[in-house]
Amino acid sequence: METTEPRPPTNVSANATVSGDGNEDIPSLNNMPNHSSSPKTTAGPTASDPQPMDTSEPVNESQPTSETVPQAAAASTADPAPPPPRKRRRRKKLFTDMISTSSAASGLRVLRPHPKPSTAYSYSYSETELVDEPDDGKPHILHRRRGGSGGSSSKISDLAKEVDIEALIAISVGFPVDSLTEEEIEANVVSQIGGAEQANYIVVRNHILARWRSNVSVWLTKDHALESIRAEHKALVNSAYYFLLHHGYINFGLAPAIKEMKLKPPEGAPKANVVVIGAGLSGLVAARQLIFLGFKVVVLEGRARPGGRVRTKKMCGDKDDIVAAADLGGSVLTGINGNPLGVLARQLGVPLHKVRDICPLYLPNGRTVNPDIDSRVEVSFNKLLDRVCKLRQAMLEEVRSVDVSLGTALETFRQVYRVAEDPQERMLLDWHLANLEYANASLMSKLSMSYWDQDDPYEMGGDHCFMPGGNETLIRVLAEDLPIFYNRAVDTVKYGIDGVLVHAGGQAYRGDMVLCTVPLGVLKKDVIQFVPDLPERKREAIERLGFGLLNKVAILFPYDFWGGDIDTFGHLTDDPNTRGEFFLFYSYSSVAGGPLLVALVAGDAALKFEMMSPVESVQKVLEILKSIFSPKGIAVPDPVQAVCTRWGQDRFSYGSYSYVAIGASGDDYDILAESVGDRLFFAGEATNKQYPATMHGAFLSGMREAANILRVAKRRSIVPAERSNSAALENGDIDRLFNAPDLTFGSFSVLFDPRSTDLESNAVLRIALKGEKSGAVGIYLYGLIPRKQVIELSKVAGDLDRLHMLTREFHVRLVGRKSLSNMAESLLTVIRSSRLSNLS
């Protein structure tokens, strides 16, 4: 990577330390002169999850953004007065058209009764009821007669609007307009797919969902849901209510009333024991939901903190007079409409800050980009993407297996249509490419042309937002009261017909099922050994999907010198090889609690960045900032503190988030989400086809797997491990097996694993303890022991010495028959099956 020679560092110490998770370097930047008081900044706009009546129009990002660009004249070289700031629409990918719900509403047959008064909800509806299929076979919205003025047409119109609003809310959450989700089909929410029952169910489901969204701080009971639906349709309400409840679409979150109910498991014995690997967003959410559903849960986390790739760090000066909270990992809530994280913020009373779409761009010399050239290049960039989409459509229709990189396709079209041949235009195009690499955490050369944007139809609408105080605000509350064991890095997961055994931090954790939420980067590194190996289909999906890298430099300054009227600004470079190096700056002054800037490093630059020293990285950022603000007469002060992330070197992530690599597709996300043998489950952003690479995608995957585990437990009637041990084999069967042991010495009898003669293979040991007076056997103790230790034990003379060696040197735990581990029970079952097979 070619770079310009950096200026000599000023007030930057070369002393740097590594702290936290091993993914951040913190240079010592506290040797600073005194400055005058910081200028005041204006507070930015706030945003929140929309209420049910919110009808704000989504941004149509498929249209060229030049329509919104002020047509200001180019800045004069003699008088570099900046042009009006350019409003820059976020364009992660290509968006499909929004589906209108008005047409869908005309096909719904819903009438509800007059709502009963409710102390918890003030959501009111027309007097309506559900009806059967009309005689003419056509769907209708019917009105039940009642007293009072007003024609039926106006009432039908009001109902149609009401149903339409509820449908829009359901769409924002991710439900289709007029069909069931795969989850609903698997849950058998209706007796028959299609027809009147399904249509009515959809309206009931949308109604319940909208009703809870109107007041997310109160627990919505089934009785509340029934208040506005006639009693004879209780079955539909039951079906919709419990589906939404178990899958975490209603009654989730951090409001006091919700938390109290969530941490109160149902009465009676637990359904099963679940080991959750990872205390990131997906693991925390799944654990809370599983406890609510009646499971016994333990969470194993390799780090010393919860949150995973969501990491907020407190930054401050020597005297703690300047403090800010920096999100070093997941930061932006991408789309607030329907976003469950927006619900959590509402419940906590945290007003979200809308990320303003004004994003001025600066040339390497610090001058503002000519707005006309900026607009022209952005339109050309969008047209290039459109042409790539048409090309891939033609290719997929002919040969589905052909795929090339998105970067190759774009560059080919750029040359064919002679786009961005002017140096400044080329710099602008490189900036857009860097922004695309940031959105996907990958190089353009690695992105699949065919499927890189496969999740577009599902993207949540609404504003992009910051969370004041950092996203760890959510993590901290989500982790409260959960049984989390920190510093427990999992190395082995054994699973089989009898349960699971998870080895972490030198200890073993037994359960009935295990939920693995580690990042895709960890799975790619084979850090965790699965016994037996994962199915080939899943291993291939892990290999095909990409796991990319995004890094940040967070710098706390003594005051906000860049102004409080923008949240982002960009910087261009004349070297295409470094286009992603500090190309975009986020201003967190409005939400961090202090004057904080975060510079992003994407694409190839993110990889090379991890090889640079933190002091060199910070110095480069300061040079860029000085090139932008010094010509305006604004002095860039020395930093108070700086943090450089190293997510690629973090052994608990090995990167930032997933992307669709060449040869992969959205189907690989689904494959990665598949459970194995009804014992091993997977969650995390890389298992969510609809919302990958997002915090809400991780959240929703945790809810999804909690519901899947519940469904499996119900279907198989899994008995918790501690109660299933005695059920595997009857005592009589055990006695018959030990009547013909493979080895016996003194009071010790041993049964070897018939499948292996390896010295590391396990064996079941039984010790007969005799009564003091009669000499008859009074009790048996059992233990699981490697074959090689059995051989050593057999060479020792005397039962007492053998017992000492067994417990003190080999640390074998001796238990009664009913307390045998799952692995021991499984081995006994194998031995019994082998002997029965030999007899036959």
Side-chain angles (χ1 to χ4, degrees):
M1 177 176 65
E2 297 180 1
T3 59
T4 56
E5 186 68 17
R7 298 176 183 175
T10 58
N11 292 322
V12 178
S13 170
N15 298 324
T17 59
V18 178
S19 67
D21 305 315
N23 66 310
E24 57 192 47
D25 295 324
I26 307 177
S28 225
L29 301 171
N30 298 319
N31 181 20
M32 304 176 23
N34 294 327
H35 295 275
S36 59
S37 60
S38 59
K40 295 181 180 179
T41 58
T42 57
T46 59
S48 61
D49 198 23
Q51 300 296 318
M53 295 301 292
D54 188 346
T55 57
S56 59
E57 291 295 327
V59 176
N60 185 354
E61 303 196 49
S62 62
Q63 296 178 354
T65 58
S66 59
E67 297 175 2
T68 63
V69 180
Q71 300 300 316
S76 170
T77 55
D79 183 16
R86 172 176 170 76
K87 288 188 176 181
R88 192 169 308 280
R89 299 298 187 192
R90 291 180 174 276
R91 182 193 179 97
K92 177 185 175 185
K93 302 173 182 176
L94 299 178
F95 286 79
T96 56
D97 293 333
M98 173 64 75
I99 301 173
S100 173
T101 59
S102 58
S103 59
S106 64
L108 302 176
R109 301 164 296 284
V110 175
L111 294 177
R112 303 191 187 103
H114 186 70
K116 299 176 183 179
S118 172
T119 57
Y121 292 87
S122 58
Y123 206 84
S124 61
Y125 293 91
S126 305
E127 185 175 0
T128 55
E129 65 180 70
L130 292 171
V131 299
D132 297 326
E133 189 77 52
D135 294 337
D136 59 7
K138 299 179 181 179
H140 290 82
I141 298 178
L142 302 181
H143 164 251
R144 187 180 70 177
R145 293 182 180 178
R146 61 176 177 174
S149 60
S152 62
S153 60
S154 64
K155 294 171 184 175
I156 293 175
S157 176
D158 290 343
L159 175 60
K161 292 178 181 178
E162 179 184 304
V163 170
D164 203 37
I165 290 171
E166 293 176 354
L168 282 170
I169 293 172
I171 290 172
S172 73
V173 175
F175 287 99
V177 177
D178 55 1
S179 61
L180 302 178
T181 64
E182 292 182 6
E183 290 177 329
E184 288 175 305
I185 293 173
E186 290 178 353
N188 297 317
V189 294
V190 293
S191 59
Q192 183 178 358
I193 303 300
E197 183 189 17
Q198 174 177 305
N200 283 330
Y201 164 84
I202 289 174
V203 178
V204 170
R205 174 249 284 157
N206 294 351
H207 167 64
I208 296 174
L209 183 64
R211 182 158 189 179
W212 184 71
R213 285 272 174 156
S214 71
N215 190 349
V216 296
S217 295
V218 176
W219 187 271
L220 176 66
T221 67
K222 189 176 64 174
D223 289 339
H224 284 142
L226 280 167
E227 287 178 355
S228 39
I229 302 293
R230 288 178 61 88
E232 56 262 36
H233 304 294
K234 184 177 181 180
L236 279 176
V237 174
N238 283 347
S239 182
Y241 177 82
Y242 285 113
F243 172 81
L244 294 172
L245 180 67
H246 293 162
H247 286 75
Y249 290 107
I250 62 172
N251 294 338
F252 67 84
L254 304 173
I258 304 295
K259 287 180 63 180
E260 182 181 359
M261 292 295 294
K262 284 292 186 181
L263 292 178
K264 280 186 177 180
E267 294 183 359
K271 293 183 175 67
N273 303 328
V274 182
V275 179
V276 177
I277 303 174
L281 259 175
S282 58
L284 295 175
V285 169
R288 299 186 78 89
Q289 185 73 351
L290 286 167
I291 290 173
F292 163 68
L293 295 175
F295 292 87
K296 187 176 179 182
V297 176
V298 61
V299 182
L300 306 179
E301 169 57 47
R303 307 178 193 268
R305 61 165 182 86
R309 285 168 282 168
V310 178
R311 169 76 162 116
T312 304
K313 179 172 181 59
K314 178 184 176 182
M315 300 180 64
C316 59
D318 288 337
K319 299 180 181 179
D320 288 350
D321 53 340
I322 303 174
V323 180
D327 275 321
L328 304 182
S331 56
V332 183
L333 275 64
T334 51
I336 196 60
N337 291 349
N339 195 319
L341 301 183
V343 172
L344 302 188
R346 285 171 59 191
Q347 292 172 331
L348 294 177
V350 178
L352 298 177
H353 172 85
K354 173 186 175 181
V355 181
R356 291 163 286 193
D357 55 11
I358 297 175
C359 182
L361 298 182
Y362 297 96
L363 294 167
N365 61 10
R367 297 188 183 278
T368 307
V369 170
N370 183 304
D372 292 329
I373 299 177
D374 188 2
S375 175
R376 183 166 64 249
V377 172
E378 187 166 1
V379 170
S380 298
F381 173 67
N382 290 336
K383 288 182 178 179
L384 287 177
L385 285 174
D386 291 338
R387 289 190 171 98
V388 169
C389 288
K390 293 178 181 177
L391 170 65
R392 73 178 178 189
Q393 185 61 35
M395 290 176 59
L396 290 174
E397 289 175 357
E398 295 295 330
V399 185
R400 293 187 59 85
S401 60
V402 174
D403 196 6
V404 297
S405 76
L406 178 63
T408 298
L410 284 173
E411 177 60 19
T412 300
F413 278 115
R414 187 194 71 79
Q415 294 181 10
V416 169
Y417 291 97
R418 305 183 69 178
V419 174
E421 294 185 323
D422 175 81
Q424 187 174 144
E425 291 182 350
R426 184 57 193 268
M427 284 190 290
L428 275 166
L429 181 63
D430 281 336
W431 187 90
H432 286 289
L433 294 175
N435 198 33
L436 207 57
E437 290 179 325
Y438 153 47
N440 293 275
S442 177
L443 281 66
M444 298 294 296
S445 59
K446 294 185 177 181
L447 283 173
S448 164
M449 183 196 73
S450 300
Y451 300 107
W452 69 280
D453 56 352
Q454 61 83 34
D455 57 315
D456 279 358
Y458 312 102
E459 284 204 8
M460 292 184 173
D463 299 323
H464 290 205
C465 297
F466 289 143
M467 167 129 354
N471 293 317
E472 203 165 281
T473 302
L474 302 180
I475 296 297
R476 186 169 55 250
V477 186
L478 283 171
E480 285 180 357
D481 304 318
L482 285 181
I484 305 175
F485 292 86
Y486 295 107
N487 298 309
R488 299 290 197 278
V490 172
D491 52 68
T492 307
V493 175
K494 298 181 180 180
Y495 60 99
I497 58 173
D498 60 330
V500 300
L501 191 66
V502 180
H503 292 272
Q507 292 182 297
Y509 299 84
R510 188 173 72 250
D512 301 293
M513 290 174 279
V514 57
L515 173 60
C516 180
T517 72
V518 300
L520 175 61
V522 174
L523 294 177
K524 281 179 167 292
K525 291 284 188 179
D526 288 327
V527 174
I528 299 177
Q529 180 186 9
F530 293 94
V531 181
D533 285 340
L534 296 177
E536 183 178 0
R537 166 185 172 88
K538 188 178 288 287
R539 295 201 308 272
E540 291 176 347
I542 291 172
E543 183 178 351
R544 281 192 300 265
L545 278 175
F547 195 70
L549 185 61
L550 172 72
N551 274 312
K552 301 180 180 182
V553 176
I555 304 181
L556 180 64
F557 288 95
Y559 57 86
D560 180 347
F561 61 88
W562 55 91
D565 57 342
I566 59 173
D567 291 318
T568 57
F569 60 90
H571 176 259
L572 277 58
T573 176
D574 52 10
D575 183 0
N577 295 318
T578 62
R579 66 189 180 199
E581 186 178 67
F582 316 126
F583 79 102
L584 183 63
F585 288 79
Y586 274 112
S587 167
Y588 281 83
S589 294
S590 300
V591 295
L596 180 72
L597 271 183
V598 174
L600 302 187
V601 192
D604 187 52
L607 300 172
K608 296 177 180 178
F609 173 80
E610 299 207 346
M611 303 297 106
M612 297 169 58
S613 73
V615 173
E616 181 184 359
S617 300
V618 173
Q619 183 61 43
K620 283 191 174 185
V621 174
L622 293 177
E623 289 178 359
I624 291 173
L625 292 174
K626 289 176 181 178
S627 72
I628 294 174
F629 293 100
S630 294
K632 301 178 176 62
I634 301 174
V636 177
D638 296 320
V640 174
Q641 187 184 9
V643 176
C644 300
T645 66
R646 296 286 188 269
W647 286 107
Q649 298 176 20
D650 187 332
R651 68 188 183 98
F652 296 113
S653 62
Y654 292 108
S656 300
Y657 42 89
S658 63
Y659 66 91
V660 183
I662 302 171
S665 72
D667 293 339
D668 290 315
Y669 287 107
D670 287 339
I671 295 172
L672 195 56
E674 292 173 352
S675 60
V676 182
D678 286 346
R679 295 290 181 180
L680 176 58
F681 298 79
F682 290 86
E685 56 86 12
T687 70
N688 195 322
K689 178 180 180 178
Q690 289 78 14
Y691 310 106
T694 63
M695 291 183 290
H696 59 267
F699 183 103
L700 292 170
S701 74
M703 286 294 191
R704 178 199 69 213
E705 289 312 302
N708 286 341
I709 290 172
L710 175 64
R711 185 173 62 253
V712 169
K714 285 182 175 180
R715 183 178 72 244
R716 298 190 59 177
S717 297
I718 290 179
V719 181
E722 58 262 37
R723 293 190 290 121
S724 67
N725 290 334
S726 61
L729 290 175
E730 298 294 335
N731 287 333
D733 295 328
I734 296 293
D735 291 337
R736 282 190 289 272
L737 291 177
F738 277 99
N739 283 340
D742 296 313
L743 181 64
T744 181
F745 43 91
S747 299
F748 291 65
S749 302
V750 182
L751 298 175
F752 292 126
D753 187 340
R755 300 167 297 184
S756 173
T757 58
D758 190 280
L759 292 178
E760 297 297 330
S761 63
N762 282 327
V764 179
L765 171 73
R766 184 169 84 166
I767 305 174
L769 302 181
K770 299 180 180 179
E772 294 182 2
K773 295 182 179 180
S774 64
V777 174
I779 193 173
Y780 291 113
L781 293 180
Y782 298 84
L784 194 65
I785 180 173
R787 182 188 288 252
K788 66 178 181 180
Q789 291 183 354
V790 171
I791 295 174
E792 292 181 40
L793 200 63
S794 66
K795 298 177 181 178
V796 176
D799 284 349
L800 187 58
D801 289 339
R802 295 180 187 123
L803 193 59
H804 284 171
M805 174 180 279
L806 186 67
T807 57
R808 297 179 182 179
E809 295 183 27
F810 297 160
H811 303 290
V812 173
R813 181 169 173 256
L814 297 175
V815 298
R817 170 68 189 88
K818 293 184 178 181
S819 298
L820 269 174
S821 68
N822 281 349
M823 290 186 65
E825 290 285 2
S826 177
L827 179 54
L828 287 171
T829 302
V830 169
I831 295 170
R832 179 177 181 272
S833 299
S834 175
R835 293 191 177 184
L836 289 175
S837 176
N838 292 335
L839 289 175
S840 61

